[in-house]
Amino acid sequence: YFLIRREITTALENPSFLKDLNLKSNEVLYVYPVAKSLEKIADHCESIAKSCIQLEGKTISSEITDFFIQYSNEAMEIHTQAIQAFLSKKLDLAFKAINIFEKLDEKLKSKELSRKRADDFDVEIQMQLVERNLDRICGYGIDIAEMAIDRIQ
């Protein structure tokens, strides 16, 4: 993020550098928020990793792990499609990311995708933290998809 911010500042101060980056001046406005979203996604991934460390040695049911595997796969797919849309300037990929998010949101609200609460209080707290972090990762993926749409149009 800081490298990208520094490069954007340099590019705005020196138009020839902007040309070297193969960017138009108006595209710089989209690169910065995407970089910030990627930094936030990384922070949430770090939080998930810390929760996983806290869960080391704890027994977690396969129903709960299946829920998190499916949720994290969906979050990763949203993020992947959004980034590909932004980099390739393909609207269909941005809308694919949004569709994946909407279907995931529908599954979560209808309880089609849900998890059983953990019996151990400490485990449940970590599960809720992971769930919240995955939710935020999905949100930042949608932000990136929207930036891709704005950049393309």
Side-chain angles (χ1 to χ4, degrees):
Y1 164 74
F2 290 113
L3 172 64
I4 289 173
R5 191 174 81 179
R6 190 171 55 237
E7 297 232 338
I8 288 171
T9 302
T10 302
L12 291 173
E13 292 170 350
N14 182 355
S16 66
F17 188 68
L18 193 62
K19 192 174 184 177
D20 291 343
L21 292 174
N22 200 26
L23 287 173
K24 297 175 186 164
S25 57
N26 64 334
E27 289 181 308
V28 171
L29 299 171
Y30 300 108
V31 172
Y32 181 77
V34 168
K36 189 68 176 167
S37 290
L38 290 173
E39 178 192 30
K40 295 287 188 183
I41 288 170
D43 291 343
H44 289 291
C45 289
E46 179 184 11
S47 293
I48 290 170
K50 286 178 180 177
S51 288
C52 290
I53 290 169
Q54 292 294 317
L55 292 168
E56 192 171 340
K58 302 278 186 177
T59 302
I60 300 167
S61 74
S62 62
E63 293 169 340
I64 293 174
T65 56
D66 290 348
F67 166 83
F68 282 109
I69 289 169
Q70 186 173 352
Y71 199 164
S72 61
N73 285 339
E74 299 276 350
M76 192 167 43
E77 188 62 22
I78 291 165
H79 175 261
T80 299
Q81 295 302 319
I83 288 295
Q84 288 179 351
F86 186 81
L87 295 174
S88 68
K89 299 180 185 177
K90 292 184 178 178
L91 272 176
D92 62 319
L93 296 178
F95 288 117
K96 184 175 180 182
I98 292 168
N99 283 338
I100 294 167
F101 174 78
E102 288 172 348
K103 287 178 184 173
L104 173 62
D105 192 48
E106 209 173 279
K107 287 180 194 175
L108 291 167
K109 285 180 180 172
S110 71
K111 304 284 189 210
E112 179 184 334
L113 178 61
S114 64
R115 71 173 176 87
K116 188 177 108 180
R117 300 292 171 215
D119 295 331
D120 182 323
F121 181 73
D122 293 329
V123 170
E124 180 59 26
I125 288 174
Q126 295 305 319
M127 295 290 129
Q128 289 180 16
L129 288 171
V130 171
E131 205 167 343
R132 193 172 316 130
N133 281 302
L134 286 171
D135 181 58
R136 296 303 308 136
I137 288 170
C138 290
Y140 286 118
I142 292 304
D143 290 346
I144 294 168
E146 289 171 351
M147 282 289 128
I149 291 167
D150 291 344
R151 180 182 184 202
I152 295 164
Q153 294 180 338

